[in-house]
Amino acid sequence: MVVSVGFEGIAINVWLVWIVPFVGSALIPVLAKKSTRFSNMSAVGFAIISALLAATLIPLAISGTEIHSQIPWISALNIKAGILADPLSIIMTNLVAWISSLIIIYSVGYMHGDRDLVRYWFFMLFFIGSMQLIVLSDNLLMVFFGWEGVGFASYALIGFWYADRKKDYVGREGHIVKGIAMWASPTHAGIKAFLMTRAGDVMMLSGMFLIFMYAGTFGFKELLADQTWAHTMMEQNLLVPAAVLLFGGAIGKSAQFPLNEWLLEAMTGPTPVSALIHAATMVKAGVFLVARIGPLFFALAAFDAAVFFEVVAWVGAITAFLLATQAIVNPEIKKVLAYSTGSQIGYMMMALGIAGLSTQFVDGYTAGFFHLMSHAMFKASLFMAAGAILHVVGSRFMTDMGGLRKNMNKTFIFMLLSGLSLAGAPLITSGFWSKDAIFAALLESGTSTGGALFFIAFIVAIMTAFYTFRMVGMVFFGTKSKHIQAIEQTSSHTSQSVSYASSEPSADDHHNLKQHTKPKIHEVTPIMWVPFAILAISTILIGLVGFIFEEEIHTIMASYLFSSFGIGEAISTHNSANNIEQIAGQTTEALNPIALVSSFVAFGIGSGLGILFYIIRKKDPEIISRYPILKKAWSFLYNRWYLNSLLYWGFVTIPLRLYQIIWLYFENIIAQGINPALQFSMSYLSKWVKYTQTGVTQTYLFVFAAGIIIVLIMLYL
């Protein structure tokens, strides 16, 4: 049921979900004048208010009710501003709101003492508001405003520590590949993220306006209601390019191949920023866009959906494999999690892509969205746990850690739980059920593409389990590194413990150091560990009822797809509370045995190798250096497949050198030489003209007569 209203009733709540964070960001500079504590609590308050407003929409999603509200905006083009609260956006907006709120609470402890807290809160709330605008907008134009908002906020937050201290960099200093430095400063990383995502945004904007030229509207509901524009564009072979261009925006924002390289340098920002980007905002925006437009294009009768969905699926598959291979060798904890994010988003794209290639659209669609939900929870938890470790240890390199499970027992337990979900630990984690659903969707698609994608997904699952246990093992098991031993020795000789930045520990000169009496490496305060503990426990609780939870999401999405797009077949069944739509033949009655076994096997192989090398340490991982082929493979992966170097050579180094040549030989010699030469010629000519101006009448009469004679001779001849 769709309810169209103005700015009234429950629709007000929907509008306020994204307006409240923007209001909060605008007021933070004023509120901060009272006190830092007051501005901190205000930031938390605005985030929680937005989350509570989002929670009031949950009953609508369960009942299958949609709220569509519009107000006048650009009357000359008949464009209205509107919000669309359907099951897809309601679930997503709650995911964004509540995870963001936990990250904001975590930030109070993590960012304590930072001298630029006002700027931090401003952009964090602006970030949340922009993402909620993307989720709740009813048209592509408003989506694009939110799209640019998250891009701007990410640029500001990735480069938050703009002083560019060496300790704030990511990557290992001195690591150069093909003449390109593989480490980056905060400002460089922020600019890189901004420019690379803008490349995708240009494609998205092109696709939007191409559709608008034919449809005369940006509205999702309007585009579906009158499909004349789609038939016209199809006849002119423009609909597929327009859809792929829109997907280009998703490629940029979600860091998919080939626009994936910005995501890794984005780790220069404070860890809460990384958690927000990777779990609730920014990179999830691209997946949500595909989830929003995918059913629309699938439902268009005139559209050859296969081409578009093939592109989506294969881009996801390539990205998933590419980034997983790099995660298994990287030594920086936040970079491993960043690689993991891009890889897991590749899974989501694979699922959404196979949905359009399969006769059971809802299966792949639900699997992709379920994995988005699952990933948001465990990845936010993992990043915040990583931030707790960085906060205490003061190094981003896992080689500077080791043996921390006794000193940071809570962080260890909750990071392990979240890590198990990332690795897909069978039956008890949400990650297992969402990956299994993707495996099943690929296997049951009935296409050769599904089989090939399944093989890639299976290999990626093995690597995911391996690098997860590698990370846990390097951080919490084994002997303590020399770095940690030095910290403990230093702290044992002073009454003041080593105090690291409450924000990124490498930027200690950005913060006011706190003094306390704990003499060694210790657990972080509850305001930091409780938020990621909540998410870690949630992913396990959902995992314990994973099959039932997936069925509920499946039913809600099936009803949504049928009622909004006519995808699937409906039968009406009576419920004690109301009549709800269920989709005949769309509800999974049994687990796919091949998918289930594959999930078990992938986890077993990957986790087994990780445990063998990094936890019980029966085998030395340095063994790889003994074999030339394996050593070269390791180097190839550590150098990021040379894609980062290729990117810089193709779009930075070579263009700059070409411009230098152009400037040196064309602008400096030809262009700069033309003006003086022309000036000199005109000046020289003017001197000769000046000599003819004698002022003597007889001379003028003589010249005039000579001219007449010459003309007569020419006429006679």
Side-chain angles (χ1 to χ4, degrees), residues 219-240:
F220 299 122
K221 290 289 184 183
E222 293 80 358
L223 288 171
L224 185 64
D226 184 1
Q227 300 181 12
T228 305
W229 63 275
H231 290 268
T232 304
M233 291 184 72
M234 193 63 189
E235 291 172 356
Q236 299 181 19
N237 296 317
L238 289 175
L239 191 56
V240 172

Side-chain angles (χ1 to χ4, degrees), residues 590-610:
L591 293 171
N592 184 297
I594 299 177
L596 190 64
V597 171
S598 299
S599 299
F600 273 86
V601 171
F603 176 79
I605 295 174
S607 62
L609 291 173

Side-chain angles (χ1 to χ4, degrees), residues 247-329:
F247 179 57
I251 289 175
K253 277 291 185 289
S254 290
Q256 298 294 282
F257 179 80
L259 300 177
N260 57 282
E261 289 298 322
W262 70 266
L263 190 63
L264 312 173
E265 274 76 15
M267 298 301 98
T268 55
T271 300
V273 173
S274 302
L276 195 63
I277 289 176
H278 289 252
T281 61
M282 189 70 168
V283 295
K284 292 297 194 302
V287 181
F288 181 80
L289 178 65
V290 176
R292 175 60 83 191
I293 66 174
L296 171 65
F297 285 123
F298 186 80
L300 295 176
F303 181 46
D304 183 9
V307 178
F308 169 69
F309 288 107
E310 283 269 6
V311 172
V312 173
W314 279 108
V315 166
I318 292 170
T319 308
F321 181 79
L322 178 72
L323 296 187
T325 59
Q326 297 175 53
I328 63 178
V329 300

Side-chain angles (χ1 to χ4, degrees), residues 57 91 93 105 111 123 373 484 540 565 567 642 712:
L57 307 178
I91 295 173
T93 194
I105 294 171
M111 297 296 290
F123 281 112
M373 297 170 62
I484 293 178
I540 297 298
F565 303 97
I567 298 174
Y642 300 98
L712 291 174

Side-chain angles (χ1 to χ4, degrees), residues 449-712:
T449 300
L453 293 175
F454 168 75
F455 178 75
I456 295 174
F458 176 73
I459 298 299
V460 171
I462 294 175
M463 290 190 286
T464 302
F466 173 76
Y467 67 66
T468 300
F469 279 90
R470 171 180 176 265
M471 175 183 66
V472 171
M474 291 182 71
V475 173
F476 295 106
F477 289 85
T479 58
K480 293 181 179 179
S481 67
K482 293 181 179 179
H483 176 77
I484 293 178
Q485 292 175 20
I487 293 174
E488 293 182 329
Q489 289 173 3
T490 302
S491 61
S492 65
H493 288 87
T494 179
S495 61
Q496 297 177 357
S497 67
V498 176
S499 179
Y500 293 95
S502 298
S503 175
E504 206 64 23
S506 59
D508 53 350
D509 52 329
H510 292 171
H511 309 279
N512 299 321
L513 297 178
K514 298 189 297 181
Q515 297 182 2
H516 48 78
T517 59
K518 295 181 181 179
K520 296 182 180 181
I521 301 270
H522 59 276
E523 189 60 79
V524 292
T525 57
I527 199 171
M528 289 180 63
W529 67 258
V530 169
F532 64 78
I534 292 173
L535 291 172
I537 293 171
S538 297
T539 194
I540 297 298
L541 291 177
I542 292 176
L544 293 174
V545 293
F547 185 64
I548 299 173
F549 186 85
E550 180 189 349
E551 284 292 305
E552 289 299 317
I553 297 296
H554 193 282
T555 300
I556 291 173
M557 287 300 164
S559 177
Y560 158 67
L561 290 171
F562 178 79
S563 61
S564 297
F565 303 97
I567 298 174
E569 299 178 357
I571 56 173
S572 181
T573 60
H574 183 71
N575 182 278
S576 58
N578 54 5
N579 287 331
I580 61 174
E581 295 285 339
Q582 292 186 343
I583 306 304
Q586 296 284 325
T587 301
T588 306
E589 296 180 355
L591 293 171
N592 184 297
I594 299 177
L596 190 64
V597 171
S598 299
S599 299
F600 273 86
V601 171
F603 176 79
I605 295 174
S607 62
L609 291 173
I611 292 170
L612 181 68
F613 283 105
Y614 294 99
I615 293 183
I616 62 176
R617 308 200 175 214
K618 289 292 185 182
K619 295 290 184 180
D620 184 359
E622 294 297 325
I623 194 174
I624 194 172
S625 62
R626 302 175 188 173
Y627 302 95
I629 295 178
L630 292 178
K631 187 175 181 180
K632 288 182 179 179
W634 182 93
S635 177
F636 177 74
L637 299 178
Y638 182 61
N639 291 332
R640 292 157 61 168
W641 288 48
Y642 300 98
L643 293 176
N644 190 60
S645 300
L646 182 63
L647 171 73
Y648 275 89
W649 277 104
F651 296 97
V652 180
T653 306
I654 292 177
L656 282 176
R657 290 187 180 179
L658 287 175
Y659 174 75
Q660 290 172 347
I661 293 172
I662 292 172
W663 177 83
L664 182 63
Y665 295 104
F666 179 77
E667 289 192 22
N668 198 34
I669 296 177
I670 300 176
Q672 298 287 344
I674 287 176
N675 289 335
L678 183 62
Q679 178 185 358
F680 177 79
S681 300
M682 292 298 101
S683 177
Y684 187 76
L685 180 62
S686 69
K687 290 180 181 179
W688 283 99
V689 174
K690 182 176 69 175
Y691 292 149
T692 65
Q693 306 302 311
T694 63
V696 180
T697 304
Q698 291 86 343
T699 302
Y700 294 153
L701 290 173
F702 175 78
V703 172
F704 180 71
I708 292 175
I709 292 171
I710 292 172
V711 170
L712 291 174

